[in-house]
């Protein structure tokens, strides 16, 4: 019986082993390990890839969101609207900045922020909105911008799952006042450790993030804090490895899209498959479907050696850490709660083969028929 793991990072390393090893040795041999040439080169290359004016490497995607909020002056007393159907990191970062997360419902087709729900949640304390390009599908930024721009509310994109996704050919990470990426190893552009970045179209704002990521020091005056900052730096080793990964990002995303299309052709009718909205390029960070009797189906897949996961099983407002109004909901999150009960993520990553997809699809068909 063929076993299909939910993910396989080692195969992704082995696919470009020589390049990764050479990059790592170059850094080890350089004698310079934090914020040097590799980080500067990666920042420039990633900004160019996106079509952004600037990029600041930081320690994680969570830090990227935290520092983007701080660079925009968002903090205690401010409300920041995002979704409950996201990685907890999005909400943890809002709390790190001292602001209050307000969670709104999602669109049931793309699983991204509902612009109508966003509009209902806005009040005079709303300072920023963080749509998440969840699973690799762009949020409806045109509708969201129509809500936030006239009101002077900051727009921060959470691009942690959407490296290379685009709307009308323009990459996500270039729409918001600032945008945030994670390079956690499983992401479409993943390091071999932790990493993150803030990107944007305003070099001054990127400069603010650069100050904040290292104690408020400027390049000209080290050891003198201009503003109160933190330590959140992208290290040279991860930057060098990310430069290798970036070269292969488009090929990897194309492969993800091919595997997704293959799933789409093979999966039985009862399975609700992901949709790609018109003008959007989905990069399938995750291939998330809805099935009846989800938990039974998952167990049956597991018994056949097929790994699955749920992203995410408990909406954030239902998690113990965020009760007691640490995260606010103003309306019922009906679509969020429905999704949490029905979704399952199937294996999809560069390194998975068409034969692997076939195996998963056949196992799913058997599970549904049982
Ligand atoms: C992974 C992720 C983050 C956080 O990134 P880390 O690098 O793990 O801190 C934030 N938002 C979303 C949607 C993510 O998937």
């Amino acid at each position: 019986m063929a076993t299909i793991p939910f993910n396989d990072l080692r195969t992704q390393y082995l696919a470009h082993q020589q390049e990764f090893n050479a990059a790592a040795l170059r850094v080890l041999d350089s004698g310079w390990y934090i914020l040097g040439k590799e980080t500067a080169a990666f920042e420039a290359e990633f900004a160019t890839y996106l079509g952004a004016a600037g990029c600041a490497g930081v320690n994680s995607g969570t830090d990227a969101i935290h520092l983007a909020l701080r660079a925009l002056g968002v903090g205690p007393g401010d409300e920041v609207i995002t979704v409950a159907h996201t990685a907890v990191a999005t909400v943890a970062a809002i709390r790190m900045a001292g602001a209050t997360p307000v969670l709104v419902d999602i669109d049931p087709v793309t699983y991204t922020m509902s612009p109508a729900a966003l509009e209902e949640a806005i009040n005079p304390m709303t300072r920023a909105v963080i749509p998440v390009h969840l699973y690799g599908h762009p949020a409806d930024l045109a509708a969201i911008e129509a809500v936030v721009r006239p009101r002077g509310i900051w727009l921060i994109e959470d691009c942690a799952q959407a490296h290379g996704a685009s709307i009308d050919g323009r990459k996500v990470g270039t729409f918001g006042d600032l945008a945030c990426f994670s390079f956690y190893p499983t992401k479409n552009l993943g390091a071999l450790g932790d990493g993150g970045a803030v990107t944007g179209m305003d070099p001054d704002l990127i400069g603010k993030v650069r100050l904040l990521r290292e104690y408020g020091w400027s390049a000209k005056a080290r050891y003198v804090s201009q503003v109160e900052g933190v330590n959140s730096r992208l290290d040279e080793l991860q930057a060098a490895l990310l430069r290798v990964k970036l070269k292969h990002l488009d090929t990897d995303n194309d492969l993800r899209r091919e595997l997704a299309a293959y799933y789409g052709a093979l999966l039985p009718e009862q399975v609700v498959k992901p949709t790609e909205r018109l003008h959007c390029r989905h990069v399938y960070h995750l291939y998330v479907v809805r099935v009846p009797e989800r938990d039974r189906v998952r167990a049956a897949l597991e018994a056949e050696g097929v790994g699955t996961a749920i992203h995410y099983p408990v909406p954030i407002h239902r998690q113990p850490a965020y009760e007691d109004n640490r995260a606010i909901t103003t309306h019922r999150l009906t679509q969020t709660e429905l999704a949490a009960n029905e979704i399952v993520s199937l294996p999809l990553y560069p390194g998975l083969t068409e034969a692997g997809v076939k195996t998963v699809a056949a196992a799913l068909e058997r599970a549904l028929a049982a």
Side-chain angles (χ1 to χ4, degrees):
M1 184 177 73
T3 297
I4 312 290
F6 179 65
N7 206 341
D8 183 354
L9 293 175
R10 184 154 189 274
T11 297
Q12 296 180 51
Y13 160 69
L14 291 176
H16 312 292
Q17 186 177 23
Q18 250 103 51
E19 281 178 272
F20 284 128
N21 290 1
L25 284 175
R26 185 172 75 228
V27 174
L28 298 185
D29 196 50
S30 74
W32 192 286
Y33 305 117
I34 297 274
L35 294 186
K37 278 191 251 168
E38 299 287 346
T39 303
F42 171 71
E43 288 174 341
E45 288 160 11
F46 192 47
T48 301
Y49 172 81
L50 295 174
C55 169
V58 298
N59 191 252
S60 70
T62 310
D63 279 0
I65 299 169
H66 165 219
L67 295 180
L69 286 164
R70 289 198 43 192
L72 292 168
V74 180
D78 297 330
E79 289 186 1
V80 177
I81 300 177
T82 189
V83 285
H85 189 65
T86 181
V88 76
T90 316
V91 175
I94 296 169
R95 292 280 300 166
M96 280 168 81
T100 304
V102 177
L103 307 179
V104 301
D105 211 357
I106 51 168
D107 170 280
V109 174
T110 63
Y111 303 101
T112 62
M113 180 181 279
S114 153
L118 162 66
E119 189 154 24
E120 282 175 349
I122 286 177
N123 72 50
M125 303 216 295
T126 309
R127 284 290 303 285
V129 171
I130 310 183
V132 181
H133 305 303
L134 201 73
Y135 307 151
H137 192 289
D140 188 352
L141 290 184
I144 291 169
E145 290 206 78
V147 174
V148 301
R149 293 301 185 199
R151 295 173 167 93
I153 295 167
W154 298 118
L155 177 64
I156 300 174
E157 296 171 73
D158 182 339
C159 304
Q161 302 191 0
H163 317 70
S166 61
I167 303 170
D168 279 324
R170 179 172 163 192
K171 299 240 168 57
V172 302
T174 64
F175 290 85
D177 294 290
L178 286 171
C180 304
F181 288 87
S182 163
F183 306 126
Y184 184 77
T186 60
K187 309 291 184 181
N188 291 43
L189 179 61
L192 280 72
D194 268 317
V198 180
T199 64
M201 302 308 273
D202 178 348
D204 290 343
L205 282 175
I206 297 297
K208 278 193 188 159
V209 175
R210 286 221 163 84
L211 273 183
L212 290 167
R213 77 176 170 188
E214 197 175 37
Y215 314 119
W217 297 347
S218 69
K220 283 183 215 110
R222 274 182 87 74
Y223 314 118
V224 182
S225 298
Q226 305 299 323
V227 295
E228 241 186 325
V230 301
N231 169 6
S232 182
R233 301 172 293 217
L234 182 64
D235 70 69
E236 288 286 280
L237 188 56
Q238 298 310 326
L241 297 168
L242 283 165
R243 292 179 72 192
V244 174
K245 268 280 176 81
L246 181 57
K247 282 194 219 146
H248 303 290
L249 177 59
D250 282 339
T251 322
D252 284 351
N253 280 342
D254 286 345
L255 185 59
R256 286 174 184 273
R257 289 173 57 82
E258 281 165 28
L259 294 171
Y262 199 44
Y263 267 129
L266 293 181
L267 291 177
E269 286 277 297
Q270 308 103 290
V271 177
V272 181
K273 293 156 208 129
T275 307
E276 183 179 56
R277 282 262 164 86
L278 203 64
H279 306 300
C280 288
R281 181 179 166 84
H282 195 324
V283 292
Y284 294 97
H285 170 60
L286 293 168
Y287 190 84
V288 177
V289 299
R290 289 190 191 218
V291 292
E293 299 181 75
R294 190 262 319 267
D295 294 335
R296 185 189 65 75
V297 166
R298 262 196 98 194
L301 288 173
E302 165 109 46
E304 291 213 38
V306 172
T308 61
I310 299 176
H311 301 88
Y312 295 91
V314 183
I316 290 170
H317 63 293
R318 300 277 184 210
Q319 301 188 13
Y322 294 98
E323 286 165 0
D324 301 331
N325 278 344
R326 286 191 200 95
I328 296 174
T329 55
T330 57
H331 294 72
R332 273 212 63 182
L333 308 189
T334 313
Q335 296 304 333
T336 296
E337 306 211 355
L338 274 176
N341 290 329
E342 297 174 2
I343 50 174
V344 55
S345 309
L346 303 180
L348 191 151
Y349 42 88
L352 183 68
T353 60
E354 289 205 349
V357 170
K358 234 178 181 163
T359 303
V360 176
L364 184 53
E365 187 150 13
R366 279 192 295 276
L368 286 165

